[in-house]
Amino acid sequence: MAESGGKATDGDWSGQLAALAHAMRAALLAHRDGARVFAGTHSTGANTLRFADRLVGVLRDAGFTDEEAARALFAVVNFTVGHTLEEQAALQPESGAPAAPEILHAAVTAGSYPHLSATLPTLTSTDFAPHFEFGLGLVTEGLRVRRG
């Protein structure tokens, strides 16, 4: 781990944060409806607490205040769970129901939504990795700006 004056360098903390978010997403995706089961549980199990402690520690070591690190934990976890919840819903439709991207495509093309129509290939893509990377990048860059 690259260190400078006892604090993690910019690339180090953001890379560690991203790795933790990716690990959480992978764990949720490993179980059918994993995000739905996890969402809203306020889990205090040992694995959840170790994950949270590690993420908060990465941020505190990077120079974030205790309050910022705690709020950033919520932002990363809520983004990851929310994204994965939508991903699993889109890829695992109820038995016999059309997949969410197909429903969205039909609704947009049936109406007059020029901006949504222009972005429909991205909006209906079932390759959720780029969506996750984009959102995680926004969270990370926002934290970087916040840190100053």
Side-chain angles (χ1 to χ4, degrees), residues 2 7 27 29-30 36 49 60 65-66 71 92 96 127 137 140 143 145:
K7 301 292 181 192
L29 287 172
R36 183 182 304 180
L49 294 177
R60 290 180 72 226
T65 67
D66 292 346
R71 290 176 193 254
Q92 301 170 3
D127 182 1
T140 303
L143 289 170
V145 168

Side-chain angles (χ1 to χ4, degrees), residues 25-36:
R25 177 174 172 245
L28 295 171
L29 287 172
H31 304 282
R32 180 169 176 79
D33 297 325
R36 183 182 304 180

Side-chain angles (χ1 to χ4, degrees), residues 1-145:
M1 173 161 84
E3 301 255 342
S4 173
K7 301 292 181 192
T9 62
D10 279 348
D12 189 42
W13 74 262
S14 62
Q16 290 178 59
L17 183 143
L20 287 165
H22 282 279
M24 180 178 199
R25 177 174 172 245
L28 295 171
L29 287 172
H31 304 282
R32 180 169 176 79
D33 297 325
R36 183 182 304 180
V37 170
F38 183 84
T41 61
H42 303 288
S43 173
T44 56
N47 289 338
T48 302
L49 294 177
R50 270 193 297 276
F51 171 87
D53 189 66
R54 184 157 177 219
L55 197 148
V56 168
V58 164
L59 293 168
R60 290 180 72 226
D61 287 348
F64 289 91
T65 67
D66 292 346
E67 182 179 339
E68 290 170 332
R71 290 176 193 254
L73 169 68
F74 284 131
V76 171
V77 169
N78 291 340
F79 166 72
T80 302
V81 172
H83 168 86
T84 309
L85 184 65
E86 292 297 322
E87 179 175 4
Q88 288 181 316
L91 298 178
Q92 301 170 3
E94 296 297 321
S95 180
E102 295 167 4
I103 295 169
L104 178 60
H105 188 276
V108 169
T109 56
S112 178
Y113 307 103
H115 302 296
L116 293 177
S117 293
T119 61
L120 209 47
T122 302
L123 292 174
T124 59
S125 172
T126 56
D127 182 1
F128 282 84
H131 300 324
F132 186 74
E133 291 302 322
F134 186 84
L136 185 58
L138 292 176
V139 172
T140 303
E141 289 306 309
L143 289 170
R144 189 179 316 283
V145 168

